[in-house]
Amino acid sequence: MDITYKTDVKPTTQQIIDLYNSAGLKRPTEDADRIGKIYENSNLVITAWDGDLLVGVSRTITDFYYTAYLADLAIKLEYQKEGIGKKLVALTKETLGDQCMMLLLSAPTAMEYYPKIGMDTVNNGFIIQRKK
């Protein structure tokens, strides 16, 4: 498998929707306008491609100097467990540099995954949930 990683290409909204649906990532994929705006307002997107097929994405909101929120990590179902997610996280951290911390809120089904790729669990956060 020859996967190409890119930082200079934002996928189309439909490619993102297809990826999220395949990966099982719970996002409002029935609202293409909202998905498009989510990506318009994200300032670090790293993608994984198998030829012209989008197979993975890491989407981050960051200031690049202190704080980064890794908002989405999604891998197409048939490409999971091939190291693509781990590579996307590593490339994200490499791009952010050593001065920037990276925070992620995990889906319940992925809680065991992130420690396996070197991320620490945090217990000092708070949240105000979205209403829709």
Side-chain angles (χ1 to χ4, degrees):
M1 187 179 326
D2 189 25
I3 303 299
T4 305
Y5 297 89
K6 300 178 181 182
T7 58
D8 59 345
V9 175
K10 282 198 181 175
T12 67
T13 300
Q14 191 58 54
Q15 287 173 315
I16 295 162
I17 289 170
D18 292 344
L19 174 65
Y20 284 175
N21 287 339
S22 169
L25 195 65
K26 292 187 180 186
R27 296 294 182 268
T29 57
E30 71 288 346
D31 187 347
D33 186 53
R34 188 172 180 188
I35 295 293
K37 287 180 175 153
I38 288 169
Y39 272 77
E40 284 174 25
N41 291 294
S42 298
N43 51 351
L44 177 56
V45 176
I46 301 178
T47 53
W49 301 84
D50 186 358
D52 292 333
L53 180 65
L54 177 66
V55 298
V57 69
S58 168
R59 181 180 71 86
T60 306
I61 301 162
T62 184
D63 56 32
F64 289 98
Y65 291 93
Y66 192 71
T67 303
Y69 171 55
L70 177 53
D72 292 337
L73 180 66
I75 311 302
K76 195 168 184 62
L77 181 62
E78 55 269 30
Y79 287 81
Q80 292 178 6
K81 300 186 180 182
E82 299 292 331
I84 296 170
K86 183 176 183 176
K87 179 71 172 181
L88 284 168
V89 170
L91 289 170
T92 300
K93 185 58 184 138
E94 179 181 311
T95 303
L96 293 169
D98 290 338
Q99 292 181 327
C100 197
M101 70 80 137
M102 186 170 64
L103 176 70
L104 173 139
L105 297 176
S106 177
T109 56
M111 288 296 291
E112 294 179 15
Y113 171 73
Y114 294 105
K116 290 178 185 175
I117 64 168
M119 296 183 82
D120 296 323
T121 302
V122 296
N123 295 311
N124 61 339
F126 301 91
I127 188 169
I128 297 173
Q129 294 286 353
R130 73 183 68 78
K131 291 186 179 182
K132 58 180 182 171

